[in-house]
Amino acid sequence: MALLLGQAALADEEEEDETSQGVPELTWLNFDEQMSQDKEVLLQFYAPWCAHCKQMAAGYERLAVEKKTSMLVLRCDATREAALAARFDVRSFPTIFHLSKGREVRKYNGRRSFEDMSAYVDGQWRHQERLSLWASPYGPIGRLKGLIISAGTSMIHAYAMLLKLGLSQFAAGFVIFVAWATVVLVVVLGLASLGGEDPHPHAA
């Protein structure tokens, strides 16, 4: 699965994205920076070919403009950001999450009209149960999945570079295998020590 997601992340852009051109794009590289802001976040995972994503694009962009001063309205191309999609356990498009300032995460299951989404971010989210520790992207499982997919994508790049440098497929594969095993071991040991951390430090 990591290989397939990594290949999806490396796929060339085949069509111009028509969804919510005015909405800031969330990536693996700017994730920490965006989430460190003292604002609530509405995050949409989409695919450029998704018809439902295109249908809701105008309303989502309007929401981003009207809520610009009070919260962050972001989107993430799951076909390019496989690591983030894995971390949030995205399985269909569009998938929308609300993240409170205390890192509580809730999955939006309402209608995708501007009016319904606006009412949700204005306070309806408080009446919805947050994701559990094990389902949260801030929990150990979410972090582990994201890091493994990100590492897998990097390994694919490295494998291609090793082949270009003249290594045989066997030699390049062996180097990547050792590097992959090392990364997974370090990640598992690191997350094991964080397994008891509460991802909702401000929750009552």
Side-chain angles (χ1 to χ4, degrees), residues 116-138:
D116 286 284
M117 291 188 294
S118 182
Y120 181 80
V121 299
D122 283 343
Q124 287 184 1
W125 61 269
R126 293 185 176 89
H127 305 293
Q128 182 183 1
E129 186 176 356
R130 73 191 185 193
L131 296 182
S132 68
L133 170 67
W134 299 106
S136 172
Y138 288 104

Side-chain angles (χ1 to χ4, degrees), residues 72 98 107 109 125:
L72 293 175
H98 177 275
K107 186 176 180 180
N109 295 313
W125 61 269

Side-chain angles (χ1 to χ4, degrees), residues 179-198:
W180 172 264
T182 303
V183 168
V184 171
L185 179 61
V186 171
V187 169
V188 170
L189 291 177
L191 288 177
S193 65
L194 297 175
E197 179 186 353
D198 185 358

Side-chain angles (χ1 to χ4, degrees), residues 35-150:
M35 296 304 163
S36 66
Q37 301 186 48
D38 189 27
K39 289 184 177 182
E40 294 172 8
V41 177
L42 193 69
L43 171 60
Q44 176 205 46
F45 283 91
Y46 73 96
W49 44 260
C50 170
H52 294 297
C53 302
K54 295 177 181 179
Q55 289 173 359
M56 67 171 291
Y60 198 72
E61 184 170 1
R62 178 183 171 189
L63 190 69
V65 173
E66 295 197 4
K67 304 295 182 181
K68 185 175 182 179
T69 59
S70 60
M71 68 178 300
L72 293 175
V73 178
L74 308 172
R75 66 177 190 155
C76 179
D77 184 349
T79 66
R80 294 182 178 179
E81 299 295 333
L84 281 180
R87 181 170 178 174
F88 279 80
D89 196 27
V90 174
R91 303 183 183 186
S92 61
F93 306 113
T95 299
I96 303 173
F97 294 94
H98 177 275
L99 296 85
S100 69
K101 296 179 183 179
R103 292 195 299 176
E104 296 179 358
V105 183
R106 293 169 173 84
K107 186 176 180 180
Y108 177 69
N109 295 313
R111 298 174 60 186
R112 303 186 192 110
S113 67
F114 166 79
E115 292 77 15
D116 286 284
M117 291 188 294
S118 182
Y120 181 80
V121 299
D122 283 343
Q124 287 184 1
W125 61 269
R126 293 185 176 89
H127 305 293
Q128 182 183 1
E129 186 176 356
R130 73 191 185 193
L131 296 182
S132 68
L133 170 67
W134 299 106
S136 172
Y138 288 104
I141 298 300
R143 292 180 178 180
L144 177 61
K145 289 194 296 184
L147 288 172
I148 288 178
I149 300 303
S150 177

Side-chain angles (χ1 to χ4, degrees), residues 152-187:
T153 302
S154 299
M155 296 299 176
I156 292 172
H157 279 292
Y159 178 76
M161 290 183 61
L162 290 174
L163 292 179
K164 289 182 179 180
L165 290 174
L167 270 70
S168 66
Q169 292 184 352
F170 176 81
F174 180 77
V175 171
I176 295 302
F177 172 78
V178 172
W180 172 264
T182 303
V183 168
V184 171
L185 179 61
V186 171
V187 169

